[in-house]
């Protein structure tokens, strides 16, 4: 039976502004999708990202147009053939996974071969700010043992040192969001090592990361903006030690699972991340997070309100999502 499609743009305010090197945001603007087959309904969510030329309106329009394409939503394989990777495909792919689970009574985790699932430790993100402000935020986040710093270039050595001093007990990773220059790379990575960081994400712009080839570094470096799908792995595997897999970049859970397997086969470690989004976006990514080296799925913790039901966080752990939410 053909599925019926509905799509909406929804906005969720944040507790405080979320700041990275490219700017600040005060809300999560997401696109939500529902697919129904007459007996069951499946939901998915994506976060359009301006870095990749996406807006909520443009992504919603792509999804609506696809709804009129015959058989494009007949299966996840048909969807992948009809639509390129990105936020729009992610929302639809995850909705199809949810619909399959609801219609069959078999949880998505079992259908994906990722069960049984258990709680995972997730990063708690500290927005880009002055060193002393980030240190204070780190000190206030005592419930979280794994912290992720948003960095921005100038001043990052002081930011890393200040947070380490404030939280000698914490595991630390950082995301530069392409903000470092070539002359910063060596000294900043050395400073990260001195402050005991486990990982630095995307230090250089994606079109400049060739400079990482052959570079000796004592802190692993992770590709984010430089890698979206399996097709990108061949280029980044000689530059990076790890990849950040996000469903919005990969185009859904289907490609993300395949990408994680391919990354590990290539000798790369895996981080599972997401954009700032609600529990509906985090729920499918939670499946992928099983066995990941690092998990960064704290988006719902940054929201002033979330969906009901929602995922549960406790003492830095993200627990399995309720079936009524997704999967």
């Amino acid at each position: 039976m053909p599925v019926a499609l509905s799509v909406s743009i929804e906005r969720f305010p944040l507790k405080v502004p979320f700041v990275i090197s490219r700017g600040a945001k005060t809300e999560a603007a997401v696109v939500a999708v529902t697919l129904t087959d007459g007996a069951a309904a499946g939901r998915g969510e994506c976060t359009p990202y301006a870095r990749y030329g996406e807006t909520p309106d443009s992504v919603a329009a792509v999804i609506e147009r696809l709804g009129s394409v015959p058989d494009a939503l007949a299966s996840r394989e048909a969807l992948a053939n009809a639509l390129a990777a990105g936020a729009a495909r992610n929302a639809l792919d995850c909705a199809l996974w949810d619909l399959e689970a609801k219609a069959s009574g078999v949880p998505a985790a079992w259908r994906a071969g990722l069960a049984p699932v258990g709680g995972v430790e997730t990063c708690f993100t500290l927005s880009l700010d002055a060193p002393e402000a980030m240190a204070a935020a780190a000190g206030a986040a005592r419930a979280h043992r794994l912290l992720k710093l948003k960095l921005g270039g100038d001043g990052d050595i002081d930011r890393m040192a200040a947070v380490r001093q404030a939280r000698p007990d914490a595991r630390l990773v950082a995301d530069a969001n392409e903000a470092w220059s070539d002359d910063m790379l060596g000294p900043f990575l050395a400073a990260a090592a001195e402050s005991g960081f486990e990982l630095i994400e995307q230090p250089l712009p994606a079109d400049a990361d060739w400079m990482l080839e052959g570079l000796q570094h004592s802190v692993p470096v992770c590709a984010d903006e430089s890698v979206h799908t399996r097709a990108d792995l061949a280029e980044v595997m000689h530059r990076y030690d790890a990849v950040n897999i996000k469903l919005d970049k990969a185009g859904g859970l289907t490609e993300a699972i395949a990408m994680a397997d391919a990354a590990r086969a290539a000798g790369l470690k895996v981080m599972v991340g997401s954009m700032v989004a609600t529990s509906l976006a985090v729920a499918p990514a939670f499946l992928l997070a099983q066995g990941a080296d690092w998990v960064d799925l704290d988006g719902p913790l940054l929201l002033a309100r979330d969906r009901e039901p929602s995922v549960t966080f406790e003492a830095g752990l993200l627990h399995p999502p309720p079936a009524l939410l997704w999967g």
Side-chain angles (χ1 to χ4, degrees), residues 142-163:
R142 291 285 174 184
H144 302 274
R145 195 175 69 93
L146 177 58
L147 300 178
K148 178 175 177 178
L149 285 63
K150 287 294 187 178
L151 300 178
D154 289 335
D156 283 348
I157 290 177
D158 293 336
R159 292 183 178 100
M160 291 186 285
V163 170

Side-chain angles (χ1 to χ4, degrees), residues 163-191:
V163 170
R164 172 51 75 199
Q165 183 174 9
R167 288 295 304 276
D169 61 308
R171 297 173 56 203
L172 301 178
V173 299
D175 184 3
N177 285 116
E178 304 180 278
W180 291 3
S181 60
D182 56 348
D183 60 320
M184 294 175 177
L185 187 60
F188 283 27
L189 285 175

Side-chain angles (χ1 to χ4, degrees), residues 78-274:
L79 171 65
N81 290 329
L83 193 60
R89 198 174 86 190
N90 175 36
L92 291 165
D93 181 81
C94 290
L96 284 168
W97 274 101
D98 191 33
L99 179 60
E100 292 165 11
K102 298 295 194 296
S104 68
V106 179
W110 290 95
R111 297 179 69 87
L114 298 171
V117 295
V120 295
E121 185 173 34
T122 180
C123 294
F124 181 74
T125 305
L126 306 179
S127 283
L128 176 65
D129 208 332
E132 58 273 17
M134 295 185 74
R142 291 285 174 184
H144 302 274
R145 195 175 69 93
L146 177 58
L147 300 178
K148 178 175 177 178
L149 285 63
K150 287 294 187 178
L151 300 178
D154 289 335
D156 283 348
I157 290 177
D158 293 336
R159 292 183 178 100
M160 291 186 285
V163 170
R164 172 51 75 199
Q165 183 174 9
R167 288 295 304 276
D169 61 308
R171 297 173 56 203
L172 301 178
V173 299
D175 184 3
N177 285 116
E178 304 180 278
W180 291 3
S181 60
D182 56 348
D183 60 320
M184 294 175 177
L185 187 60
F188 283 27
L189 285 175
E194 185 175 348
S195 291
F197 277 70
E198 297 182 12
L199 190 73
I200 300 294
E201 271 187 80
Q202 199 69 43
L204 297 171
D207 60 2
D209 63 5
W210 56 268
M211 287 185 283
L212 292 169
E213 289 193 28
L215 178 72
Q216 296 298 312
H217 51 281
S218 54
V219 176
V221 180
C222 178
D224 184 357
E225 286 84 355
S226 289
V227 62
H228 293 228
T229 68
R230 282 173 289 173
D232 302 317
L233 291 175
E235 185 168 0
V236 303
M237 62 184 293
H238 301 297
R239 302 173 180 177
Y240 291 94
D241 308 290
V243 292
N244 187 343
I245 301 176
K246 295 177 179 175
L247 273 60
D248 278 316
K249 293 188 301 177
L253 180 62
T254 304
E255 169 62 20
I257 292 171
M259 184 180 175
D261 291 341
R264 292 188 181 99
L268 294 164
K269 293 188 175 183
V270 170
M271 170 182 271
V272 172
S274 72

